[in-house]
């Protein structure tokens, strides 16, 4: 893991690059967990239920590493925005669920909001 020293305490912290990598893998784990949630059929199938729990646990563990460097609001906005898009893609491709125009517009607005934050916000380094 790449680390840097915290200015005020001298404590080591993950680098910005590591934080974004951890957040990326956390998002992928969360989307996988959500996919297995659908496959668990309301917790009636053991293997998908266990896979869901493992992926969610991994997602939250990795998110804690991103939160060591990134503000909670920024981290969660990226997490939820990217997660919504990926989950919608999984729903459409794996589960053959369709999205109507208002759903697509709403997803585009979420993506736009995350992009505005990433490009214009000074809350976190890029």
């Amino acid at each position: 893991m790449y680390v840097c020293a915290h200015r005020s305490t001298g404590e080591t912290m993950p680098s910005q690059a590591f934080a974004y990598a951890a957040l990326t893998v956390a998002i992928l784990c969360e989307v996988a967990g959500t996919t297995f949630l659908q496959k668990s059929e309301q917790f009636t199938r053991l293997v998908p239920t266990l896979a869901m729990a493992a992926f969610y646990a991994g997602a939250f563990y990795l998110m804690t590493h991103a939160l060591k460097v990134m503000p909670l609001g920024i981290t969660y906005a990226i997490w939820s925005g990217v997660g919504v898009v990926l989950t919608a893609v999984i729903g459409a491709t794996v589960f053959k669920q369709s999205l109507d125009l208002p759903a697509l517009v709403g997803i585009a607005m979420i993506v736009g909001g995350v992009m505005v934050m990433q490009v214009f916000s000074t809350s976190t380094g890029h």
Side-chain angles (χ1 to χ4, degrees):
M1 168 179 14
Y2 297 106
V3 295
C4 59
H6 190 271
R7 290 183 191 140
S8 63
T9 64
E11 176 182 339
T12 59
M13 294 176 49
S15 70
Q16 192 78 21
F18 180 80
Y20 273 99
L23 180 58
T24 299
V25 178
I27 292 166
L28 295 174
C29 285
E30 189 268 334
V31 171
T34 302
T35 302
F36 279 108
L37 177 62
Q38 177 75 29
K39 293 264 189 195
S40 76
E41 296 178 13
Q42 293 76 44
F43 304 126
T44 61
R45 297 181 57 219
L46 181 62
V47 172
T49 299
L50 293 175
M52 175 217 56
F55 277 111
Y56 279 156
F60 286 112
Y61 172 76
L62 289 163
M63 188 176 181
T64 65
H65 289 290
L67 289 172
K68 290 177 183 177
V69 175
M70 301 169 64
L72 175 62
I74 300 294
T75 303
Y76 196 73
I78 295 168
W79 164 289
S80 59
V82 175
V84 163
V85 171
L86 292 177
T87 302
V89 169
I90 296 286
T93 58
V94 174
F95 300 112
K96 307 300 183 220
Q97 299 168 345
S98 61
L99 297 171
D100 59 8
L101 183 60
L104 293 171
V105 169
I107 290 170
M109 291 172 73
I110 292 168
V111 170
V114 171
M115 289 174 61
V116 165
M117 259 189 352
Q118 284 296 97
V119 173
F120 298 110
S121 175
T122 58
S123 296
T124 186
H126 302 292

